[in-house]
Amino acid sequence: SIHDNILFYNMYDGDGITTPFIVKMNRNGKVSDYRTYEFHNPLHHHATVFNEPDNHLYVFGGYGNYSFSDKLLLFNFEREKWDTLSLKGDRIAPRMHTVAGSAGEPGLYYIYGGVGNETGKQELGKEFYSDLYLLNTKTRSVKKIWSHPNEDTYLVPKRNLVFDKKLQK
């Protein structure tokens, strides 16, 4: 919103169908930037957050190459490069269909739920997670906030997580 741009991206590079790209477009539909980037790990059903102060796109989890991911990827627009970040603290099991959103302060994000398993190998089945983590992009650390069984509901979150400061305790 600082630059009044909309970002579109694609992370799939398979069978020559498409190439990973990022497009910047203003609200009037004018494309201000279109670039392709090398990326060899397709991730579908991942969670994303855009941190405006440092101009970084963060991507967590997802599914690709017959595996669930527990990686935190970063696209740095200034360096025009994808990086995999190492995280300190609590481990988040590999998963897809997870959601992420602002935790109310720059650099802090919540990551919630998803479907996956401890190994990341799809052939070993899946678990429906109902857990909440706090990701700190400044310290590159993760803290588990809470978890509860998701045995009966099989909840699969979609899209984004919205933080409401009015409900904060």
Side-chain angles (χ1 to χ4, degrees), residues 95 112-114 128-132 146-150 153 155:
R95 59 188 68 194
Y112 173 75
F128 290 80
Y129 293 105
S130 186
D131 48 8
L132 183 69
W146 55 258
S147 175
H148 64 83
N150 193 4
T153 60
L155 176 68

Side-chain angles (χ1 to χ4, degrees), residues 1 7 11 13-14 17-18 25 27 30 41 52 62 92 100 114 121 129-131 140 146 165:
S1 63
L7 296 175
M11 296 174 62
D13 187 15
I17 296 170
T18 189
M25 178 185 295
R27 291 179 189 262
K30 182 179 178 193
N41 184 15
E52 287 191 64
I92 306 176
K121 297 178 181 178
Y129 293 105
S130 186
D131 48 8
R140 294 189 180 170
W146 55 258
K165 287 184 179 184

Side-chain angles (χ1 to χ4, degrees), residues 103-131:
E105 295 178 32
L108 294 180
Y109 299 95
Y110 288 123
I111 297 174
Y112 173 75
V115 178
N117 64 46
E118 289 294 322
T119 67
K121 297 178 181 178
Q122 104 169 357
E123 64 271 16
L124 297 180
K126 61 187 172 189
E127 184 174 332
F128 290 80
Y129 293 105
S130 186
D131 48 8

Side-chain angles (χ1 to χ4, degrees), residues 58-60 70-74 83-91 135-142:
Y58 292 91
V59 174
F60 174 77
D70 62 353
K71 304 278 187 265
L72 179 65
L73 303 174
L74 162 91
D83 288 315
T84 301
L85 301 180
S86 297
L87 296 171
K88 300 179 287 188
D90 297 325
R91 177 179 180 264
L135 168 66
N136 186 325
T137 59
K138 293 176 189 172
T139 62
R140 294 189 180 170
S141 62
V142 175

Side-chain angles (χ1 to χ4, degrees), residues 43 45-47 59-63 69-72 95-96 98:
L43 287 173
H45 312 298
H46 53 269
V59 174
F60 174 77
Y63 176 81
S69 174
D70 62 353
K71 304 278 187 265
L72 179 65
R95 59 188 68 194
M96 65 178 180
T98 188

